[in-house]
Short mmCIF file of all heavy atoms in Angstrom, two decimals:
data_model
loop_
_atom_site.label_atom_id
_atom_site.label_comp_id
_atom_site.label_asym_id
_atom_site.label_seq_id
_atom_site.Cartn_x
_atom_site.Cartn_y
_atom_site.Cartn_z
N GLY A 20 10.10 55.28 8.28
CA GLY A 20 10.38 55.54 9.72
C GLY A 20 11.81 55.95 9.77
O GLY A 20 12.66 55.77 8.93
N LEU A 21 12.10 56.76 10.85
CA LEU A 21 13.36 57.18 11.17
C LEU A 21 13.95 56.41 12.39
O LEU A 21 13.14 56.22 13.40
CB LEU A 21 13.41 58.68 11.42
CG LEU A 21 13.09 59.65 10.40
CD1 LEU A 21 13.11 60.99 10.93
CD2 LEU A 21 14.13 59.58 9.20
N LEU A 22 15.16 56.00 12.37
CA LEU A 22 15.83 55.36 13.50
C LEU A 22 16.36 56.46 14.32
O LEU A 22 17.16 57.14 13.88
CB LEU A 22 16.93 54.35 13.11
CG LEU A 22 17.43 53.53 14.16
CD1 LEU A 22 16.50 52.78 14.98
CD2 LEU A 22 18.51 52.63 13.66
N LEU A 23 15.86 56.71 15.56
CA LEU A 23 16.17 57.75 16.37
C LEU A 23 17.17 57.39 17.46
O LEU A 23 17.54 56.23 17.56
CB LEU A 23 14.98 58.48 16.99
CG LEU A 23 13.91 58.97 15.87
CD1 LEU A 23 12.68 59.56 16.47
CD2 LEU A 23 14.61 60.14 15.02
N GLY A 24 17.51 58.26 18.38
CA GLY A 24 18.34 57.92 19.50
C GLY A 24 19.85 58.01 19.10
O GLY A 24 20.24 58.85 18.23
N ALA A 25 20.61 57.14 19.66
CA ALA A 25 22.03 57.06 19.43
C ALA A 25 22.46 57.05 17.99
O ALA A 25 23.39 57.72 17.47
CB ALA A 25 22.74 56.03 20.24
N PRO A 26 21.84 56.16 17.11
CA PRO A 26 22.15 56.12 15.75
C PRO A 26 21.98 57.43 14.87
O PRO A 26 22.71 57.57 13.90
CB PRO A 26 21.27 54.95 15.18
CG PRO A 26 20.83 54.15 16.25
CD PRO A 26 20.82 55.13 17.51
N SER A 27 21.11 58.24 15.34
CA SER A 27 20.93 59.46 14.72
C SER A 27 21.41 60.68 15.48
O SER A 27 20.85 61.77 15.46
CB SER A 27 19.34 59.67 14.41
OG SER A 27 18.68 59.75 15.78
N LYS A 28 22.61 60.42 16.04
CA LYS A 28 23.25 61.54 16.83
C LYS A 28 22.29 62.08 17.92
O LYS A 28 22.28 63.17 18.16
CB LYS A 28 23.81 62.53 15.96
CG LYS A 28 24.70 62.15 14.82
CD LYS A 28 25.10 63.16 13.96
CE LYS A 28 25.80 62.63 12.59
NZ LYS A 28 25.09 62.74 11.43
N TRP A 29 21.65 61.16 18.55
CA TRP A 29 20.70 61.45 19.73
C TRP A 29 19.58 62.42 19.32
O TRP A 29 19.15 63.26 20.02
CB TRP A 29 21.48 62.01 20.83
CG TRP A 29 22.40 61.08 21.42
CD1 TRP A 29 23.76 60.95 21.29
CD2 TRP A 29 22.10 59.94 22.15
NE1 TRP A 29 24.18 59.85 21.85
CE2 TRP A 29 23.15 59.15 22.40
CE3 TRP A 29 20.81 59.44 22.61
CZ2 TRP A 29 23.07 58.06 23.21
CZ3 TRP A 29 20.83 58.21 23.38
CH2 TRP A 29 21.99 57.51 23.64
N THR A 30 19.06 62.22 18.10
CA THR A 30 17.87 62.86 17.83
C THR A 30 16.60 62.26 18.44
O THR A 30 16.56 60.97 18.44
CB THR A 30 17.63 62.93 16.26
OG1 THR A 30 18.79 63.65 15.72
CG2 THR A 30 16.42 63.68 15.83
N ILE A 31 15.82 63.08 19.04
CA ILE A 31 14.49 62.49 19.57
C ILE A 31 13.30 63.09 18.91
O ILE A 31 13.37 64.19 18.36
CB ILE A 31 14.49 62.61 21.21
CG1 ILE A 31 14.50 64.06 21.48
CG2 ILE A 31 15.58 61.91 21.74
CD1 ILE A 31 14.22 64.40 22.97
N ASP A 32 12.24 62.48 18.99
CA ASP A 32 10.90 62.90 18.40
C ASP A 32 9.85 63.26 19.46
O ASP A 32 9.61 62.29 20.35
CB ASP A 32 10.39 61.80 17.43
CG ASP A 32 9.03 62.06 16.91
OD1 ASP A 32 8.54 63.30 16.94
OD2 ASP A 32 8.42 61.23 16.39
N PHE A 33 9.46 64.43 19.57
CA PHE A 33 8.35 64.78 20.43
C PHE A 33 6.96 64.45 19.53
O PHE A 33 6.83 65.27 18.55
CB PHE A 33 8.28 66.24 20.88
CG PHE A 33 9.24 66.56 22.02
CD1 PHE A 33 10.26 65.65 22.39
CD2 PHE A 33 9.11 67.63 22.78
CE1 PHE A 33 11.16 65.83 23.29
CE2 PHE A 33 9.92 67.94 23.81
CZ PHE A 33 10.99 67.11 24.09
N ASP A 34 6.25 63.62 19.86
CA ASP A 34 5.09 63.18 19.11
C ASP A 34 3.79 63.85 19.78
O ASP A 34 3.32 63.51 20.85
CB ASP A 34 4.88 61.63 19.10
CG ASP A 34 3.73 61.18 18.25
OD1 ASP A 34 2.95 62.03 17.72
OD2 ASP A 34 3.54 59.92 18.12
N LEU A 35 3.34 64.84 19.19
CA LEU A 35 2.30 65.58 19.63
C LEU A 35 0.95 65.16 19.15
O LEU A 35 0.61 65.32 17.92
CB LEU A 35 2.44 67.09 19.36
CG LEU A 35 3.76 67.71 19.72
CD1 LEU A 35 4.04 69.10 19.22
CD2 LEU A 35 3.94 67.71 21.19
N ASP A 36 0.06 64.64 19.87
CA ASP A 36 -1.11 63.82 19.55
C ASP A 36 -2.36 64.58 19.43
O ASP A 36 -3.29 64.10 19.01
CB ASP A 36 -1.30 62.57 20.28
CG ASP A 36 -0.28 61.51 19.97
OD1 ASP A 36 0.18 61.42 18.82
OD2 ASP A 36 0.09 60.70 20.96
N SER A 37 -2.28 65.73 20.02
CA SER A 37 -3.63 66.51 20.10
C SER A 37 -3.36 68.04 19.67
O SER A 37 -2.26 68.48 19.56
CB SER A 37 -4.22 66.68 21.59
OG SER A 37 -3.30 67.47 22.33
N ALA A 38 -4.50 68.61 19.15
CA ALA A 38 -4.39 70.00 18.75
C ALA A 38 -3.85 70.97 19.80
O ALA A 38 -3.05 71.77 19.48
CB ALA A 38 -5.71 70.42 18.17
N GLU A 39 -4.11 70.64 21.03
CA GLU A 39 -3.77 71.44 22.05
C GLU A 39 -2.17 71.39 22.33
O GLU A 39 -1.61 72.39 22.55
CB GLU A 39 -4.48 71.16 23.35
CG GLU A 39 -5.93 71.45 23.47
CD GLU A 39 -6.81 70.20 22.80
OE1 GLU A 39 -6.16 69.24 22.36
OE2 GLU A 39 -8.02 70.47 22.64
N THR A 40 -1.72 70.23 22.23
CA THR A 40 -0.18 70.08 22.33
C THR A 40 0.45 70.73 21.25
O THR A 40 1.59 71.36 21.43
CB THR A 40 0.24 68.56 22.49
OG1 THR A 40 -0.22 67.85 21.47
CG2 THR A 40 -0.37 68.02 23.88
N ILE A 41 -0.09 70.64 20.03
CA ILE A 41 0.57 71.28 18.81
C ILE A 41 0.57 72.87 19.08
O ILE A 41 1.62 73.42 18.82
CB ILE A 41 -0.08 70.78 17.55
CG1 ILE A 41 0.20 69.44 17.29
CG2 ILE A 41 0.40 71.60 16.40
CD1 ILE A 41 -0.64 68.74 16.28
N GLU A 42 -0.51 73.38 19.43
CA GLU A 42 -0.72 74.80 19.57
C GLU A 42 0.22 75.26 20.69
O GLU A 42 0.70 76.39 20.52
CB GLU A 42 -2.15 75.08 19.93
CG GLU A 42 -3.10 75.09 18.83
CD GLU A 42 -4.51 75.52 19.22
OE1 GLU A 42 -4.66 76.44 20.05
OE2 GLU A 42 -5.38 74.92 18.72
N THR A 43 0.47 74.65 21.83
CA THR A 43 1.22 75.11 22.96
C THR A 43 2.62 74.71 22.88
O THR A 43 3.45 75.28 23.69
CB THR A 43 0.54 74.69 24.23
OG1 THR A 43 0.50 73.30 24.33
CG2 THR A 43 -0.81 75.25 24.33
N ALA A 44 3.10 73.86 22.13
CA ALA A 44 4.39 73.43 21.98
C ALA A 44 5.38 74.51 21.95
O ALA A 44 6.49 74.55 22.58
CB ALA A 44 4.72 72.40 20.87
N GLY A 45 5.15 75.61 21.03
CA GLY A 45 6.04 76.73 20.95
C GLY A 45 6.12 77.52 22.14
O GLY A 45 7.20 78.29 22.36
N ILE A 46 5.33 77.36 23.13
CA ILE A 46 5.41 78.05 24.47
C ILE A 46 6.60 77.39 25.28
O ILE A 46 7.31 78.00 25.99
CB ILE A 46 4.14 78.16 25.16
CG1 ILE A 46 3.11 78.98 24.38
CG2 ILE A 46 4.25 78.66 26.49
CD1 ILE A 46 1.71 78.87 24.99
N PHE A 47 6.56 76.00 25.22
CA PHE A 47 7.41 75.29 26.05
C PHE A 47 8.69 74.76 25.44
O PHE A 47 9.64 74.48 26.24
CB PHE A 47 6.71 74.04 26.62
CG PHE A 47 5.50 74.44 27.36
CD1 PHE A 47 4.11 74.37 26.82
CD2 PHE A 47 5.51 74.70 28.75
CE1 PHE A 47 3.03 74.68 27.55
CE2 PHE A 47 4.39 75.12 29.47
CZ PHE A 47 3.15 75.13 28.99
N PHE A 48 8.78 74.63 24.22
CA PHE A 48 9.89 74.09 23.57
C PHE A 48 10.50 75.11 22.54
O PHE A 48 9.86 75.91 21.94
CB PHE A 48 9.56 72.89 22.82
CG PHE A 48 8.89 71.83 23.57
CD1 PHE A 48 7.67 71.36 23.30
CD2 PHE A 48 9.50 71.24 24.81
CE1 PHE A 48 6.95 70.43 24.10
CE2 PHE A 48 8.79 70.36 25.48
CZ PHE A 48 7.51 70.02 25.16
N PRO A 49 11.85 75.03 22.43
CA PRO A 49 12.55 75.97 21.36
C PRO A 49 12.15 75.56 20.03
O PRO A 49 11.74 74.36 19.71
CB PRO A 49 14.04 75.76 21.59
CG PRO A 49 14.06 74.51 22.46
CD PRO A 49 12.86 74.23 23.18
N GLU A 50 12.16 76.58 19.05
CA GLU A 50 11.91 76.28 17.66
C GLU A 50 12.80 75.20 17.08
O GLU A 50 14.01 75.15 17.43
CB GLU A 50 12.14 77.57 16.96
CG GLU A 50 11.71 77.52 15.36
CD GLU A 50 10.21 77.33 15.19
OE1 GLU A 50 9.52 77.86 16.03
OE2 GLU A 50 9.83 76.78 14.07
N THR A 51 12.20 74.36 16.27
CA THR A 51 12.93 73.11 15.72
C THR A 51 12.22 72.76 14.36
O THR A 51 11.22 73.15 14.09
CB THR A 51 13.03 71.98 16.69
OG1 THR A 51 13.94 71.06 16.20
CG2 THR A 51 11.69 71.38 17.00
N PHE A 52 12.83 71.77 13.72
CA PHE A 52 12.28 71.10 12.69
C PHE A 52 11.14 70.34 13.10
O PHE A 52 11.07 69.61 14.14
CB PHE A 52 13.27 70.23 11.93
CG PHE A 52 12.70 69.47 10.72
CD1 PHE A 52 12.49 70.20 9.48
CD2 PHE A 52 12.39 68.19 10.81
CE1 PHE A 52 11.95 69.56 8.47
CE2 PHE A 52 11.86 67.55 9.76
CZ PHE A 52 11.63 68.22 8.54
N GLY A 53 9.93 70.37 12.30
CA GLY A 53 8.80 69.54 12.59
C GLY A 53 8.24 68.95 11.24
O GLY A 53 8.54 69.46 10.14
N PHE A 54 7.49 67.83 11.45
CA PHE A 54 6.96 67.21 10.32
C PHE A 54 5.71 66.46 10.74
O PHE A 54 5.48 66.41 11.94
CB PHE A 54 7.91 66.31 9.59
CG PHE A 54 8.32 65.06 10.52
CD1 PHE A 54 7.52 63.86 10.27
CD2 PHE A 54 9.30 65.11 11.37
CE1 PHE A 54 7.84 62.74 11.16
CE2 PHE A 54 9.64 64.02 12.18
CZ PHE A 54 8.86 62.87 12.04
#
């Protein structure tokens, strides 16, 4: 697990739970690291 928020210099995680959200994320959010 990763400790997010203030300890990680304000890194947050968008958790995309469905195929539809994964497919459309690039339309709404800028390119970033994903895993």
Side-chain angles (χ1 to χ4, degrees):
L21 294 176
L22 185 59
L23 300 174
S27 63
K28 302 177 194 114
W29 294 105
T30 300
I31 61 170
D32 174 15
F33 282 19
D34 185 354
L35 308 174
D36 288 328
S37 71
E39 295 83 5
T40 57
I41 294 168
E42 281 182 39
T43 58
I46 296 169
F47 298 102
F48 306 120
E50 184 67 27
T51 189
F52 176 77
F54 67 94

